Amino acid sequence: MASLPSSSLTAGPGSPLVFKAPVGEAYDTLREVLVKRGWAEFASRTHNPHEWNLCWRYPFTDGTKYKFCCKRLQRVNHYEKTSGICKKDSLTRNLRRMQNVYHRTYGFYPETYIFPRDLRRFETDFKARQKAGDPDNLWICKPADGSQGTDIYLLDSLDDLEYTGSTVVQKYLLKPYLIAGYKFDLRVYVLVESFRPLNVYLYREGLVRFSAEKYDLDDLDNPFAHLTNSSINKHSDTYNISKETVGKGCKWTLTKFFEHMRRKGADVERIWLRIQDLVLLTLLPIVHAVPAMPSCFELFGFDIILDNNLKPWLLEVNASPSISVKGSVDSKVKVPLLNDTLDVLGWDVHSYPPEEMKEQHVYNEAKAKQSRSSNIDSIIYADGGFRIADRRSRGRDYKKVKSKVQSRWQRSRPSSPQPRLLVRRWSSLGTSGHSRCAVPLQSTNDVSKTN
């Protein structure tokens, strides 16, 4: 995605919608998408403390102060207590509890132990398998709160066991489905617009991330053959080499993957439906725990792997999936993802901006002027706008401020030379029951929303 001039990223008082985002390269794409849509980034010198419409914050930080934000005016990208599925140890505890009750229904999550809590039990089970000569005794160790493939290793001997802090040890999938000998996983994007009631959207595009080298069980120490994290595989010597079927790099779009699978004769509709079931069942354990925060939404990244029978297995759930663009595949997926997410949240180009949001900004500006001037007596709403009564000229219409605010919105209102279809790729899984969405194939161009 082409970078915007630095001057266009500067917040100004003439921008109708304001966003707050963390500093860093990881959020540059989000900034560019929002600025192109006519937004301005929050700046303390030009905006009041509460004059923002979108707050994109880090996960797992205290968000109680956002509990009473107005849903129609301000949105925050994280709920409280979603760590129940986004931290690997918490995900394991929740899904293990569901497996004890619903058994095979939750059979999409591999056998997993939490260290140090389950250390003794794991050692006993490992030795029992070893004594019985069970070949399926290979495990993968991952830090509970790790990301980007750091400190992950394969374990086939208790002598190699090392960990610091909370760690999960998960049964390694020995027979994954391979494409031209390369291992891969799927990054599926899920938007939860509300937990109460549960309102879930599944994005009909995503990423397929390949290992940089062919899968090889005789080389367990080679991360480029067993891990699919792009942050790791980009360091491989084969990363930029054109590989059989996969091509250069290590990423496909989800659409390309399903087209490939359809040509191979796979039942792609069945695979996609099973992924939808997996998503909904994974969310259910935390629905009761997440507090009611109407202004919040959550964008999850589900990492899913297919075995040689094309059964989806859940690896982990990311609370803050990467939205940075590092290549053409990322650009095809993440830029539309952000645009369509904003559309779902109500900031679509066809009704931009909501009238009550406009009125709230007028009110905030008038209130700020009141606090800065002892001459202003009161703020009155009348005739579709706010009027400020002045002690020195009581009853005089405050036309200058009113006309200035209206011209701000008209001047800064974003234009769309080619209007896009609202919610282009998000498909609702429904607020109850099992609604279905179409498989992400090339022929799928519009939204299929069912409730």
Side-chain angles (χ1 to χ4, degrees):
M1 182 177 180
S3 298
L4 295 175
S6 58
S7 59
S8 63
L9 298 177
T10 304
S15 299
L17 297 179
V18 179
F19 71 92
K20 300 173 73 173
V23 177
E25 183 181 350
Y27 300 94
D28 284 350
T29 302
L30 173 66
R31 285 185 171 85
E32 293 178 5
V33 167
L34 287 167
V35 170
K36 281 190 174 181
R37 293 172 68 101
W39 291 58
E41 187 167 6
F42 178 87
S44 57
R45 292 185 177 182
T46 54
H47 297 103
N48 297 319
H50 302 291
E51 191 180 353
W52 55 267
N53 304 105
L54 173 65
C55 178
W56 202 279
R57 64 187 183 93
Y58 294 115
F60 313 137
T61 56
D62 183 23
T64 53
K65 63 182 178 180
Y66 303 113
K67 187 173 182 179
F68 300 105
C69 292
C70 179
K71 179 178 179 180
R72 285 292 295 164
L73 302 178
Q74 295 176 310
R75 303 303 298 266
V76 185
N77 73 317
H78 286 301
Y79 276 93
E80 291 286 285
K81 298 186 178 181
T82 55
S83 59
I85 60 172
C86 295
K87 290 187 176 180
K88 300 178 185 68
D89 52 350
S90 299
L91 174 67
T92 299
R93 280 191 288 268
N94 278 312
L95 293 188
R96 183 189 291 173
R97 185 170 66 249
M98 300 299 278
Q99 287 173 338
N100 290 337
V101 177
Y102 299 103
H103 308 294
R104 291 182 60 184
T105 303
Y106 277 81
F108 55 80
Y109 191 64
E111 183 180 358
T112 308
Y113 295 85
I114 304 172
F115 285 7
R117 173 182 174 182
D118 299 332
L119 176 59
R120 299 306 175 199
R121 186 160 64 93
F122 172 76
E123 290 178 340
T124 302
D125 292 348
F126 187 93
K127 291 176 181 178
R129 292 170 185 267
Q130 199 172 42
K131 186 176 181 179
D134 187 355
D136 190 9
N137 202 19
L138 182 61
W139 303 79
I140 183 168
C141 302
K142 301 180 280 188
D145 56 354
S147 61
Q148 298 183 338
T150 54
D151 299 327
I152 295 179
Y153 63 95
L154 299 185
L155 177 70
D156 63 349
S157 171
L158 290 177
D159 296 334
D160 299 330
L161 180 59
E162 295 180 1
Y163 69 93
T164 56
S166 183
T167 302
V168 296
V169 178
Q170 193 172 76
K171 177 68 72 67
Y172 189 66
L173 192 64
L174 291 178
K175 297 180 180 179
Y177 187 86
L178 305 176
I179 293 181
Y182 294 92
K183 183 181 177 181
F184 65 91
D185 71 356
L186 312 178
R187 167 60 60 87
V188 177
Y189 295 99
V190 175
L191 176 68
V192 179
E193 202 270 338
S194 167
F195 274 94
R196 300 180 187 179
L198 184 61
N199 191 10
V200 184
Y201 290 84
L202 184 64
Y203 201 57
R204 293 203 310 272
E205 188 56 285
L207 295 173
V208 181
R209 306 176 301 177
F210 289 89
S211 60
E213 299 180 13
K214 291 193 174 184
Y215 182 69
D216 185 4
L217 285 175
D218 294 329
D219 189 7
L220 298 182
D221 295 327
N222 184 3
F224 304 129
H226 295 280
L227 302 183
T228 58
N229 304 79
S230 302
S231 56
I232 291 178
N233 284 290
K234 67 182 181 180
H235 299 294
S236 171
D237 295 336
T238 63
Y239 181 76
N240 290 316
I241 297 176
S242 182
K243 297 173 279 294
E244 179 187 356
T245 306
V246 176
K248 287 186 178 181
C250 292
K251 287 183 182 179
W252 280 3
T253 63
L254 204 57
T255 300
K256 182 177 180 179
F257 166 73
F258 277 109
E259 289 286 355
H260 171 84
M261 296 301 292
R262 187 169 64 173
R263 290 194 298 270
K264 292 291 184 179
D267 188 350
V268 294
E269 284 79 11
R270 177 177 171 79
I271 297 172
W272 191 235
L273 288 177
R274 295 181 77 172
I275 289 175
Q276 293 177 49
D277 289 339
L278 180 154
V279 167
L280 287 173
L281 290 171
T282 302
L283 291 170
L284 288 180
I286 65 167
V287 169
H288 71 286
V290 177
M293 301 177 71
S295 64
C296 295
F297 65 96
E298 195 79 43
L299 179 62
F300 293 111
F302 279 64
D303 289 345
I304 298 169
I305 191 171
L306 302 179
D307 64 17
N308 60 343
N309 294 319
L310 297 180
K311 174 185 174 180
W313 293 82
L314 176 66
L315 298 179
E316 61 182 83
V317 181
N318 296 273
S320 188
S322 171
I323 53 174
S324 61
V325 171
K326 298 178 181 178
S328 59
V329 177
D330 279 350
S331 181
K332 290 178 182 177
V333 174
K334 296 178 182 179
V335 174
L337 169 71
L338 292 172
N339 276 304
D340 293 344
T341 300
L342 293 169
D343 288 348
V344 168
L345 298 176
W347 289 308
D348 61 281
V349 296
H350 302 291
S351 56
Y352 197 111
E355 186 62 27
E356 54 266 48
M357 189 179 297
K358 175 179 175 179
E359 293 174 357
Q360 184 67 22
H361 275 298
V362 177
Y363 177 79
N364 288 342
E365 178 170 320
K367 191 173 181 180
K369 286 183 176 294
Q370 182 187 35
S371 64
R372 291 194 295 264
S373 173
S374 60
N375 293 322
I376 296 177
D377 190 23
S378 60
I379 304 173
I380 303 171
Y381 181 78
D383 300 327
F386 286 92
R387 181 168 60 83
I388 301 177
D390 195 311
R391 284 199 189 100
R392 294 174 302 180
S393 54
R394 187 177 302 274
R396 187 185 67 183
D397 222 0
Y398 204 74
K399 294 181 179 179
K400 290 185 179 180
V401 172
K402 183 177 179 181
S403 62
K404 177 184 176 183
V405 172
Q406 288 178 340
S407 64
R408 277 176 52 179
W409 285 80
Q410 293 169 1
R411 182 172 64 251
S412 304
R413 179 168 178 155
S415 60
S416 180
Q418 296 179 347
R420 296 181 292 108
L421 254 174
L422 176 61
V423 195
R424 183 173 50 189
R425 293 193 181 104
W426 282 113
S427 291
S428 173
L429 297 187
T431 54
S432 61
H434 281 266
S435 300
R436 303 300 186 183
C437 69
V439 181
L441 298 172
Q442 294 289 356
S443 57
T444 304
N445 295 318
D446 57 349
V447 67
S448 58
K449 180 174 180 178
T450 54
N451 290 301

